[in-house]
């Protein structure tokens, strides 16, 4: 099925429920202080009657852009009769509104220039086509916004604000900047290496700029202030491993920028029945690691489905930004998946969708298989495949893979409509209807392309000329294929990565056994992991750089997963690929820092058709 067909069926099958959901932007943090880390909870499904599920009317107006005080930005919104809602991700990233913790999925607490008491404002919310919208009426009343839908753009006029002064303060944990404002103002933050850019929708006078004299410290090195068209930008240069924690307060209006190593604000949100979001620090051997997680209760929830995704629906090669893959598949949430070659964009591991192999496993690396009822298996996976022709049987080493070795590789239509040589001097055998139809002797890598026969496949012989005489045109060719372990055969979906971290409650990490290099095994980097807890919850997790240093090693990752009550755990692609997406936004990192990826794990509240998109 084409992608438009998938979207159409998905839209027709979606129920328009009013549900509470939360997308947290990891770089938009609020509150007057960091709260103690919340305890992990094993209950992620609301009690009967706690979640109000109401059939919602179709929107009377909607769009994907906001105009904030004349500035056009991305942000999905819709109007339903007298209600106007903006997606939670857009409210957080474009306006600087902090989305708070909640155990009640029918209400969403927010903080934006509130007095210390009561401290938070509660907004109603609804869900429509994988987005979660917050009713902005309380913000309109409290802050005097003027809101006007204009075609596909929602025009927001916020009262004009002015920065009256900028002040610097020293705290035990680091540096603080305070912006004294005349009114509440929208703000945005964008980190890039050792530079943090904070933009405030407020003007600033020359006196306020000249009166501010930064006292440089080891952690806060430099600030550049510019202003234009009632917008002020602070470009802050900081030391390594420091991050912004930004929050606001009223009476009087102030925007506070804390520069500190432990900037993550712990949160725990029952995002929907069967889905819980959490961000927190995890302590291991006197080190603290930021951990972002989605916990899924698929077995006890009728509306949560986990599926493998890939970047282009009609081919295995290719990479895209995680948010683009989520948009393409119309998924609610996403975690990046297995490995790929970033140079040629070819997959390097298993991906099976609805019993159809998009790409096969390599090197007997760790993989996960699952079904739509929440049953799951993790193990080191191989695909034992042979082809027989002229009474001679040969092993097939790889399926639809960018992993190249001497022997025979197989490429099906899941790879795409054609195959381009990966190394010099390949011999390509075209098979259709179990019969060899053509043999090609090719010369130059990347220069010669062969169509993949409809309903058939190509066999690519690499440094294996001795097998070529068995595959003359007209010869019958017979395949056999079996997953090892065979338990994977009963699961329609598979993603492979590695190394395997935990099985049956025991750490089984052996990167060398799975063909990983020493540098990879010993390196420190952000990680993405799929885990299963002792009570059957599925956890999609990212672990970021430790406080004051780099991300966890694989050994540390395994121990953290063990500490999170995971009895099964598989390491996925990490580093710049490590991306956790929820409700329209990346929540573990700023999107500017996220690399493009080849495949992912997708969460759906209403599953799409299981045909290939």
């Amino acid at each position: 099925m084409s992608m438009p067909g998938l979207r159409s069926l998905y839209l027709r099958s979606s129920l328009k429920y009013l549900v509470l959901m939360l997308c947290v932007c990891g770089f938009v943090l609020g509150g007057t202080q960091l709260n103690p880390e919340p305890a992990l909870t094993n209950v992620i499904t609301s009690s009967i009657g706690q979640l109000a599920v109401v059939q919602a009317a179709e929107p009377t107006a909607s769009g994907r852009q906001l105009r904030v005080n004349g500035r056009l930005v991305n942000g999905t919104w819709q109007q339903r009769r007298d209600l106007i809602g903006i997606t939670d991700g857009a409210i957080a990233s474009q306006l600087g509104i902090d989305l708070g913790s909640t155990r009640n999925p029918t209400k969403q607490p927010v903080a934006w220039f509130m007095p210390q008491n009561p401290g938070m404002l509660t907004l109603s919310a609804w869900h429509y086509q994988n987005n979660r919208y917050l009713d902005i009426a309380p913000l309109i009343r409290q802050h005097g916004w003027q809101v006007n839908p204009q075609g596909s753009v929602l025009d927001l006029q916020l009262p004009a604000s002015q920065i009256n002064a900028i002040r610097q303060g020293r705290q035990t944990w680091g540096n603080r900047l305070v912006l004294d404002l005349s009114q509440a103002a929208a703000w945005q933050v964008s980190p890039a290496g050792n530079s943090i850019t904070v933009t405030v929708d407020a003007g600033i006078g020359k006196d306020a700029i000249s009166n501010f004299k930064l006292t440089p410290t080891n952690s806060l090195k430099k600030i550049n202030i510019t202003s234009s068209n009632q917008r002020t930008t602070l470009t802050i240069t900081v030391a390594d491993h420091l991050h912004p924690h930004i929050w606001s307060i009223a009476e009087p209006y102030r925007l506070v920028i804390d520069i500190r190593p432990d900037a993550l604000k712990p949160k725990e949100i029952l995002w929907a029945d069967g889905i819980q979001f959490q961000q927190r620090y995890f302590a291991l051997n006197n080190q603290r690691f930021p951990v972002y997680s989605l916990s899924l209760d698929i077995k006890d929830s009728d509306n949560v489905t986990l599926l493998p995704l890939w970047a282009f629906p009609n081919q295995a090669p290719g990479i895209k930004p995680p948010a683009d893959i989520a948009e393409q598949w119309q998924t609610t949430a996403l975690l990046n998946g297995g490995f790929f070659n970033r140079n040629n964009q070819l997959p390097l591991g298993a991906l099976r969708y609805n019993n159809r192999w998009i790409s096969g496993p390599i090197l007997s690396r760790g993989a996960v298989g699952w079904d739509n009822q929440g049953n799951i298996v993790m193990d080191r996976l191989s695909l034992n495949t042979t082809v027989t022709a002229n009474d001679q049987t040969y092993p097939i080493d790889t399926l639809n893979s960018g992993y190249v070795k001497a022997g025979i590789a197989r490429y099906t239509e899941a790879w795409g409509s054609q195959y381009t040589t990966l190394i010099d001097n390949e011999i390509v055998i075209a098979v259709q209807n179990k019969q060899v139809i053509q043999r090609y002797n090719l010369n130059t890598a990347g220069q010669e392309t062969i169509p993949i026969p409809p309903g058939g496949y190509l066999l690519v012989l690499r440094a294996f000329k001795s097998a070529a005489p068995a595959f003359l045109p007209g010869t019958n060719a017979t395949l056999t294929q079996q997953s090892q372990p065979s338990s994977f055969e009963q699961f329609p979906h598979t993603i492979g990565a590695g190394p395997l971290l935990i099985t049956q409650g025991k750490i089984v990490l052996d990167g060398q056994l799975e063909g990983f290099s020493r540098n990879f095994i010993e390196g420190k980097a952000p990680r993405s992991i799929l885990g299963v807890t002792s009570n059957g919850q599925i956890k999609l997790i990212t672990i970021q750089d430790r406080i004051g240093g780099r991300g966890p090693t694989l050994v540390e990752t395994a121990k953290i997963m063990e500490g999170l009550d995971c009895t099964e755990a598989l390491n996925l692609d990490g580093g710049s690929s490590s991306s956790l997406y929820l409700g329209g936004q990346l929540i573990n990192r700023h999107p500017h820092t996220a690399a493009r990826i080849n495949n992912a794990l997708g969460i759906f509240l209403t599953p799409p058709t299981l045909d290939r998109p």
Side-chain angles (χ1 to χ4, degrees):
M1 178 179 289
S2 67
M3 178 54 62
L6 171 67
R7 286 178 175 170
S8 177
L9 186 144
Y10 182 81
L11 294 178
R12 290 195 303 269
S13 63
S14 293
L15 296 177
K16 287 72 177 181
Y17 290 134
L18 290 179
V19 298
L20 180 68
M21 297 180 295
L22 177 65
C23 167
V24 179
C25 177
F27 292 91
V28 182
L29 304 173
T32 58
Q33 61 182 2
L34 292 181
N35 297 324
E37 296 172 4
L40 289 171
T41 175
N42 291 323
V43 180
I44 66 172
T45 303
S46 66
S47 60
I48 296 175
Q50 185 181 12
L51 180 62
V53 181
V54 181
Q55 185 74 24
E58 288 293 324
T60 55
S62 63
R64 291 178 170 269
Q65 288 186 309
L66 310 174
R67 185 181 291 110
V68 182
N69 289 351
R71 179 175 53 93
L72 201 62
V73 299
N74 292 327
T76 303
W77 64 276
Q78 68 173 219
Q79 183 176 13
R80 291 173 176 271
R81 297 190 177 95
D82 297 330
L83 297 179
I84 294 179
I86 301 175
T87 57
D88 45 15
I91 274 183
S93 62
Q94 302 293 2
L95 301 179
I97 294 176
D98 178 43
L99 309 175
S101 298
T102 179
R103 294 178 182 269
N104 181 354
T106 66
K107 302 294 181 183
Q108 175 56 59
V110 301
W112 195 73
F113 293 98
M114 299 288 295
Q116 287 188 325
N117 293 308
M120 298 200 92
L121 188 68
T122 299
L123 306 183
S124 299
W126 66 88
H127 174 248
Y128 183 80
Q129 296 177 4
N130 289 301
N131 287 316
R132 179 240 189 183
Y133 297 85
L134 300 183
D135 175 18
I136 61 173
L139 292 167
I140 293 173
R141 290 192 297 267
Q142 179 157 328
H143 295 285
W145 296 0
Q146 296 181 16
V147 180
N148 182 26
Q150 297 181 350
S152 62
V153 176
L154 182 66
D155 189 77
L156 296 173
Q157 287 292 327
L158 282 60
S161 182
Q162 188 80 5
I163 300 174
N164 297 322
I166 301 175
R167 297 178 282 124
Q168 178 184 4
R170 287 282 295 164
Q171 306 292 325
T172 56
W173 38 257
N175 286 270
R176 169 173 286 175
L177 297 171
V178 178
L179 279 59
D180 295 329
L181 299 169
S182 63
Q183 287 283 344
W187 59 269
Q188 307 83 41
V189 61
S190 177
N194 293 85
S195 179
I196 300 166
T197 301
V198 180
T199 303
V200 186
D201 286 4
I204 186 171
K206 293 181 179 179
D207 289 345
I209 295 176
S210 61
N211 290 336
F212 173 67
K213 305 296 183 183
L214 176 71
T215 302
T217 67
N218 291 334
S219 57
L220 180 57
K221 299 179 179 297
K222 181 182 177 182
I223 297 179
N224 183 52
I225 304 171
T226 60
S227 183
S228 176
N229 298 323
Q230 283 297 111
R231 300 190 77 218
T232 300
T233 299
L234 284 72
T235 304
I236 307 168
T237 304
V238 300
D240 293 339
H241 313 302
L242 294 179
H243 310 281
H245 172 83
I246 304 177
W247 51 280
S248 61
I249 194 169
E251 298 179 357
Y253 294 110
R254 286 159 288 165
L255 186 68
V256 183
I257 305 170
D258 291 337
I259 307 297
R260 54 191 301 164
D262 57 344
L264 181 68
K265 178 182 178 182
K267 299 183 183 184
E268 187 171 0
I269 301 101
L270 185 58
W271 190 81
D273 268 350
I275 303 177
Q276 178 176 297
F277 170 77
Q278 186 186 69
Q279 63 182 38
R280 57 168 290 194
Y281 284 106
F282 186 93
L284 178 69
N285 298 331
N286 298 320
Q287 302 286 310
R288 296 175 70 205
F289 296 87
V291 176
Y292 300 80
S293 66
L294 292 176
S295 298
L296 311 181
D297 198 348
I298 295 178
K299 289 185 177 181
D300 295 332
S301 177
D302 295 332
N303 65 329
V304 179
T305 301
L306 181 68
L307 292 174
L309 317 176
W310 61 104
F312 290 89
N314 296 315
Q315 64 181 51
I319 58 178
K320 284 184 178 179
D324 287 5
I325 297 178
E327 176 67 21
Q328 171 180 273
W329 285 79
Q330 291 292 287
T331 184
T332 297
L334 171 151
L335 176 67
N336 69 288
F339 300 105
F340 57 95
N341 185 310
R342 193 167 294 282
N343 294 324
N344 58 26
Q345 303 184 8
L346 303 182
L348 295 172
L351 195 153
R352 190 185 194 204
Y353 177 90
N354 196 30
N355 292 308
R356 187 169 188 263
W357 286 103
I358 308 303
S359 179
I362 63 171
L363 298 170
S364 297
R365 287 179 171 175
V368 55
W370 71 96
D371 61 22
N372 298 321
Q373 289 71 49
N375 301 303
I376 194 166
V377 62
M378 289 190 192
D379 210 331
R380 297 182 177 99
L381 174 65
S382 61
L383 196 60
N384 293 345
T385 308
T386 65
V387 59
T388 300
N390 278 330
D391 297 323
Q392 299 184 63
T393 300
Y394 301 95
I396 295 177
D397 301 296
T398 60
L399 172 63
N400 294 339
S401 179
Y403 180 69
V404 174
K405 60 175 292 188
I408 302 178
R410 185 163 78 103
Y411 294 88
T412 71
E413 289 178 284
W415 180 258
S417 62
Q418 59 189 22
Y419 166 80
T420 301
T421 50
L422 295 182
I423 64 170
D424 293 343
N425 302 316
E426 293 181 340
I427 299 173
V428 177
I429 313 296
V431 179
Q432 190 177 43
N433 298 322
K434 300 182 179 180
Q435 190 174 80
V436 176
I437 61 172
Q438 188 70 41
R439 191 173 76 182
Y440 306 87
N441 294 307
L442 307 178
N443 298 313
T444 307
Q447 300 298 314
E448 296 174 272
T449 297
I450 302 298
I452 298 175
Y457 56 88
L458 299 179
L459 297 174
V460 180
L461 279 58
R462 298 176 178 134
F464 197 17
K465 291 183 178 180
S466 61
F471 296 96
L472 296 174
T475 302
N476 291 331
T478 304
L479 284 174
T480 66
Q481 184 171 282
Q482 174 69 45
S483 298
Q484 293 293 335
S486 59
S487 55
F488 275 83
E489 291 289 340
Q490 63 183 301
F491 296 100
H493 311 303
T494 300
I495 270 191
L500 192 66
L501 300 175
I502 302 174
T503 58
Q504 298 180 355
K506 297 181 179 179
I507 293 178
V508 294
L509 173 62
D510 192 336
Q512 187 175 6
L513 178 65
E514 298 185 26
F516 290 100
S517 68
R518 180 176 178 179
N519 286 341
F520 181 89
I521 294 169
E522 297 178 356
K524 299 176 180 179
R527 306 287 178 183
S528 294
I529 315 99
L530 184 70
V532 181
T533 65
S534 58
N535 63 359
Q537 291 177 13
I538 297 174
K539 285 186 174 288
L540 283 65
I541 289 177
T542 65
I543 308 173
Q544 304 305 121
D545 287 343
R546 74 190 74 205
I547 293 177
R550 300 184 64 189
T553 64
L554 287 171
V555 171
E556 289 172 326
T557 301
K559 291 180 178 178
I560 291 171
M561 295 303 293
E562 185 180 49
L564 294 174
D565 188 38
C566 287
T567 57
E568 309 284 332
L570 173 68
N571 183 67
L572 303 172
D573 193 8
S576 61
S577 295
S578 181
S579 299
L580 187 60
Y581 169 101
L582 177 64
Q585 296 286 323
L586 289 179
I587 54 178
N588 68 315
R589 67 193 313 156
H590 194 278
H592 292 166
T593 69
R596 295 181 295 168
I597 59 175
N598 173 262
N599 60 83
L601 293 151
I603 301 171
F604 296 82
L605 286 180
T606 302
T609 175
L610 290 182
D611 293 335
R612 185 181 64 146

